[in-house]
Every structure is written in structure tokens, then in C-alpha cells.
Amino acid sequence: MDGGHLGDAEAVFQAVVNAVPDHATALYLLASVQAQSGKLQDVVHHMGLCVAASPMVVPFRCLLGDLLRALGRFDEAVRAYRRALAVDCARVPAVLGLAEAHRGARQPAEAARAFRCALHLDPMRPDAIRGLSASLEVLGQGREQVRLLRLPVVLEPGSAEALTDLGGAQLFCSHTAHAIRLLRRAEAADPTSERARYFLCLALWCGGHLTEACRRAPALLGVDERYGGHLSALGVVRYEQDYADVVHITGRMAEPEREFPPTVLTAFCDPRKWALNWQLHSLYLSYLDLDCAALDFLVTIPPGTHHLIDPRIPCRIMEPVEDRYDHPNFASVTTFEGTRYPYCNHYLAALDLPDRHCYALLTDVDTILMPAFKTFHPRRFAIGSGGYASEGSIRRLADFAQRRGFRYGRYRNLGPTWYGEAALLDRCARKSLEVAGLLLEEDWRGMSWPDWWIGVLTMYASEVAINDLVDDLTLLDGVIEGGMPAGPGRGQEIHLHMWTPEDPMQDFGKASFDAGLYDGLELEGLAGTALDYARRGVALARRTFS
């Protein structure tokens, strides 16, 4: 056979089979020769006869399943592998073949079950780990996928492949910061890894690091289709082409001004909710500590709540708009009460601000100001990064914007804090409220985090609005919306946000504070600063809250 005499070999084995039709070895060798000649249908026929002649030989059944799978006959392949497993249920190749046949038949749940069985038999089997990871991704079970892929990284922390697998999983769970760190490690471990560089570019784009993503994109567009066409689908190609003319994104703040322009910090708060009440007072204390004469403070509150806040806090009364944003799917979001969406009230704070203010900082109340705030201000509009974007949500929003006639595609994954010209913030807030109402008309059946989640409706709405209205955006990643680590930070933060971290001892968390986790403890760095403001805010809020 090695000498190219396949025809002669086939004739010899065919003669044996003609003489002894149930000669399993001859049938197997005949099928092997036909496989080398590309006669796959004949191969399947003779392997079927081989299996019938020796039904207890599991490798023959597995080979038949492999052939059927190669021909796209996945249902028949599933039956072949199941029969192999009926003979020997612990045969890993048969279990893996069954899993791959289910994948080919577009049965991800069945595939995942089979891959789990393979891992039960061989916990470190790489092809089983990769197969289960792919099935979990299709099923939208990103958290389990991340847990699965952590083990190879623990065992081989310098493996670019393992780091890339985990980084990609984190990315599609919308954990972009984690994804970027892992993919940078993968690139450092193997600078030639095309896959690591590709998904790092994608993570940078989804995470709002548009300048670096655009710098990397041109070298990767040739392999875009190989990895799913994400860069083209998410607009990186078009953005790169239009980048110089359309938008200016920078990771640096604007140059310091000699005089700080008249600015107002504005927020919405319902002080009837204790957590929001003490957070408002913490934010107000950070404003007082800043001691900036050109910066005013203004909180918008619902009617009948003025008595619940410190009388020194400047406030105005506005009727909440949450009744306008009612949808049954809000009931499935555990942080909400009923079917109304309270977060749209956030934008009321940017409407109709006093004319004397050139600039405004629209922020949530679970934030604090840092001393660097009074040193800088944006050109027109600055924003931090969000934590909600995924490929699925970006595709949905792009389709929505196209159908509704909004400009879209320049900015991704934007944070809730806006800092810019007061008039421009007013326009963006009004547009966000309009877009939020239109988004509620979309199909929210089968929603799942992070691909399409009604709980971040305002994030989706503001992303569309800002893309439509703002031509000069400054991204201050980690400067606005900075975290609160138990360390010194970067030294550039002008504004910190009390997120809910994975490890509340490494980063300050507002829910952990409310739960009493920090009672009797002291934290270091920015986490310690946040904890101090939280405790002071609670003490001040208790004077009026009832």
C-alpha cells in the first residue's frame, strides 16, 4: 500500500472478503485501503460489515462512528458510538466521539453531557475540556465555562493556549477587564500566537480601549473570518477607516486649566432607600472635602423626600419617570421591585441644569470624588468604561440602531458617569430616555446575561444615544468610574465607583459594607478611602433618615 499500489491491495482484500464474507480483519483492511483512495461510502459499507462480524470490538464501532461523522451523518454516528459504549461504557474515545457527533447535530446540551462524562473518566483530557467549553459557550453558560477553563491555567500558568481559552471565555461573559489581563499574559507568553492577539484586540474593543484596538486591528483583519468575523461584525474595520475624521478617543485627561470652569455635580437619588441615602451623604462629604469653589452640588429627589437628607445638600424636586418604563421582564431582575425600571430616573439629573454651569458631572450616588477632580476637565464629553457589553448585545444594538435610524458603531461599553458640557449632557439624557422607551419594544424573550439583559436597559440606551449625538468623546478608562482597590491606585482617579467586586477584601464593595463585612476592620489604599467615606456617610445620614 505504501508503494501506491492501492488498487492491487484493494483487489487482494476484496478477494479475501468474497471468500470469507465475515472475515473482520479483511473487512477492516479493505476499508482502510478504500479510505486512502477516498471511497468513503464504500468504507462505511465495509466497516458496517466489519462491526457486524465482530460486534464486541469497540475500536471498530468507534471507527464507524468517526466515518459517519466525517460524512455529516451525525444521527447515525450517535447510534454507532452509543452501541460502542454499550459494550464498554468507559471507553473515552467513544464518549468523545459521541460528544462530537452531538455537536455536529447541533445538540449542545447532549454534547455537554457527553463531554462531562469524558472528563469524569479523564479529568485532564484537553480535547474534552475544549469541547465542553465550546458547548457551554453555545448554551450561554459562561460562568461554568470560565470555571472549567481555570484549571488548565492553574496547571500551566505560562500556556498561551490555556490563557487564551480562559481570556476568551471571560470576554464572552462580559468580564472584559479580566479578559484583557489574561490575553495580555497569553500574548507575552507567545508573541506569535495569532489567536491570542486576535482576542486581545477584540477584548480591548469591547472594553472601550478603542485606540489600542484600532492600532492592532489592521494586522488581524486578514484572519478575521477564521475566528468568527467578530472585528468586522462589531465595526472595528469601519471604525479604523473613519477613525481620524470621525472621533477622537484618548486615555489621557485634557490638559489642566488655570481656572476651573463653572461645573455642577448632579445625581438622582431616592433617599427613602437606606443604601442610596448613606451613599448620597458619602458623595456629598467627598464634594465638601474637595473644596472647589467652581463646583456646585445638586441632587434631584422625588416629591416628599426632602426631609430625609441633610438640609445642607442642595436639591430639587422632580417626579420620577419609572412608571413610563414598565415591562414584565423587569420582574425577573432580582434587584427590582415589580415591573418598573427605576434606573431611567438617573437621566433626570442632567435635564434643565442652571444656565450658569458650563460643565456637569452626571453620576450615580454610590461614588466619591477624588482630589485630582479639580485639576482637570474634558474637552466636550468624557466617560469611563462600563461592564455590560458582549458580542451578542453589540450585535443587537447595531441592528436596533440601523432599524431606528440612529448613528451607531463608534463607541462601546460606556459607563454611567458622564462629564462634559452641560448642554450636551442634557441632549444625551433626553435621547437616552427616548431610546430606552424604544428598546422596550424589542424582543426580550429568552434574554440572558450578558448577551441581552433588560436590567441594563439604561446602559444600552445611553450607548445608542451617545453614538448618535457625540462626535468628540474622551474615554477616561479607570479615571472616571475608578475602582476601589486595597492599594494606592494609579494616582489619576478623579472619581471612584462603589462596584460589587469579586473579592470584597481586595476591593471595597457597597453590598459587603451594608452586610457588615467591614465592621471592626480597616482597609488599605483606595478601599480604605471608600470605607472611611461610607462610615462618615452613614453617620451623617442617620441624623435625618427615618
Side-chain angles (χ1 to χ4, degrees):
M1 287 189 284
D2 293 340
H5 303 294
L6 295 175
D8 295 340
E10 183 177 356
V12 170
F13 294 129
Q14 184 67 63
V16 176
V17 168
N18 291 340
V20 187
D22 60 350
H23 195 301
T25 302
L27 287 164
Y28 168 73
L29 292 172
L30 176 58
S32 299
V33 173
Q34 290 172 334
Q36 294 180 62
S37 302
K39 302 176 182 179
L40 293 184
Q41 297 295 346
D42 290 337
V43 175
V44 171
H45 171 69
H46 287 111
M47 280 307 304
L49 295 175
C50 178
V51 167
S54 297
M56 301 305 291
V57 180
V58 173
F60 287 168
R61 291 190 178 276
C62 289
L63 181 56
L64 177 59
D66 294 344
L67 290 167
L68 291 167
R69 186 157 51 89
L71 290 170
R73 294 159 61 176
F74 298 112
D75 290 340
E76 294 174 72
V78 166
R79 288 195 291 272
Y81 292 123
R82 289 195 183 281
R83 287 167 181 160
L85 291 169
V87 176
D88 183 357
C89 63
R91 187 63 65 106
V92 174
V95 180
L96 285 173
L98 176 62
E100 293 293 351
H102 280 307
R103 282 184 69 189
R106 301 183 183 277
Q107 298 168 338
E110 291 83 352
R113 280 195 291 271
F115 281 123
R116 288 191 184 99
C117 289
L119 286 172
H120 179 74
L121 297 170
D122 186 352
M124 292 310 301
R125 180 97 183 194
D127 46 357
I129 292 174
R130 286 193 295 270
L132 179 55
S133 171
S135 299
L136 292 171
E137 183 176 326
V138 173
L139 291 168
Q141 297 176 10
R143 292 185 179 180
E144 184 179 350
Q145 184 188 16
V146 167
R147 288 195 296 270
L148 172 72
L149 294 174
R150 281 178 177 150
L151 180 58
V153 172
V154 171
L155 295 173
E156 293 186 77
S159 167
E161 182 180 10
L163 289 165
T164 303
D165 287 343
L166 180 55
Q170 293 278 21
L171 172 61
F172 291 114
C173 280
S174 202
H175 299 157
T176 50
H178 295 297
I180 290 169
R181 284 196 292 271
L182 288 162
L183 292 164
R184 288 198 191 281
R185 285 173 57 192
E187 184 184 44
D190 182 4
T192 66
S193 173
E194 178 184 275
R195 184 164 165 264
R197 290 185 291 112
Y198 180 87
F199 282 103
L200 176 56
C201 179
L202 182 63
L204 290 166
W205 175 259
C206 291
H209 302 270
L210 305 188
T211 303
E212 185 178 355
C214 288
R215 188 175 68 247
R216 289 171 170 269
L220 296 165
L221 296 180
V223 300
D224 194 27
E225 290 302 319
R226 185 180 307 167
Y227 297 108
H230 301 289
L231 297 182
S232 299
L234 300 185
V236 181
V237 180
R238 180 168 54 81
Y239 190 96
E240 170 64 19
Q241 293 169 348
D242 298 342
Y243 177 71
D245 300 326
V246 177
V247 63
H248 308 285
I249 300 286
T250 176
R252 297 177 60 245
M253 291 181 283
E255 293 301 316
E257 295 288 323
R258 294 182 180 178
E259 294 184 4
F260 195 86
T263 302
V264 60
L265 183 157
T266 182
F268 181 90
C269 180
D270 185 344
R272 291 169 295 191
K273 300 176 180 179
W274 168 244
L276 297 178
N277 193 303
W278 73 253
Q279 291 163 17
L280 169 64
H281 286 81
S282 296
L283 174 60
Y284 180 65
L285 288 170
S286 75
Y287 158 76
L288 293 178
D289 290 347
L290 195 64
D291 192 23
C292 179
L295 178 65
D296 290 336
F297 191 100
L298 179 64
V299 61
T300 302
I301 58 177
T305 61
H306 182 271
H307 64 286
L308 295 175
I309 64 174
D310 189 284
R312 295 172 296 171
I313 299 179
C315 65
R316 63 177 181 173
I317 309 298
M318 292 185 74
E319 195 70 41
V321 296
E322 58 199 72
D323 288 347
R324 305 179 200 171
Y325 302 91
D326 191 291
H327 194 282
N329 280 32
F330 285 133
S332 64
V333 181
T334 57
T335 56
F336 295 165
E337 297 176 2
T339 60
R340 297 178 302 170
Y341 190 66
Y343 294 163
C344 282
N345 295 326
H346 171 76
Y347 298 117
L348 297 179
L351 304 182
D352 302 318
L353 294 171
D355 292 339
R356 66 180 179 275
H357 299 115
C358 300
Y359 286 83
L361 175 76
L362 173 64
T363 183
D364 292 334
V365 294
D366 57 339
T367 58
I368 58 174
L369 298 179
M370 296 296 286
F373 182 87
K374 62 182 179 182
T375 310
F376 297 94
H377 72 84
R379 298 185 188 91
R380 292 199 67 206
F381 195 118
I383 200 165
S385 293
Y388 62 90
S390 70
E391 181 189 354
S393 66
I394 291 173
R395 288 181 188 273
R396 291 248 197 177
L397 291 178
D399 174 69
F400 166 81
Q402 183 178 22
R403 285 187 283 107
R404 296 288 187 167
F406 297 113
R407 292 194 305 168
Y408 183 78
R410 296 174 295 172
Y411 321 123
R412 314 285 189 189
N413 201 37
L414 305 178
T417 301
W418 301 351
Y419 185 19
E421 295 175 358
L424 183 55
L425 263 63
D426 183 293
R427 291 175 58 209
C428 288
R430 294 179 191 276
K431 179 72 73 172
S432 296
L433 290 169
E434 173 194 346
V435 173
L438 295 174
L439 280 169
L440 284 182
E441 299 174 9
E442 296 294 296
D443 185 0
W444 292 96
R445 292 173 299 179
M447 65 178 190
S448 64
W449 174 260
D451 284 334
W452 194 235
W453 187 246
I454 202 169
V456 290
L457 179 72
T458 48
M459 297 288 92
Y460 295 157
S462 64
E463 182 173 305
V464 173
I466 291 171
N467 271 279
D468 192 57
L469 295 177
V470 180
D471 288 326
D472 189 357
L473 185 72
T474 301
L475 180 68
L476 300 183
D477 187 42
V479 178
I480 293 177
E481 312 287 8
M484 300 177 173
R490 301 193 313 184
Q492 293 181 313
E493 296 87 352
I494 64 174
H495 169 273
L496 304 180
H497 209 137
M498 297 179 183
W499 304 113
T500 301
E502 291 185 1
D503 185 349
M505 300 312 297
Q506 294 299 317
D507 296 87
F508 177 83
K510 58 188 178 183
S512 300
F513 175 79
D514 282 329
L517 182 65
Y518 303 123
D519 291 354
L521 300 179
E522 297 297 330
L523 301 178
E524 300 294 327
L526 295 181
T529 301
L531 179 57
D532 179 62
Y533 273 116
R535 287 170 173 166
R536 292 170 59 196
V538 165
L540 184 59
R542 280 177 176 159
R543 299 179 183 180
T544 53
F545 185 81
S546 61

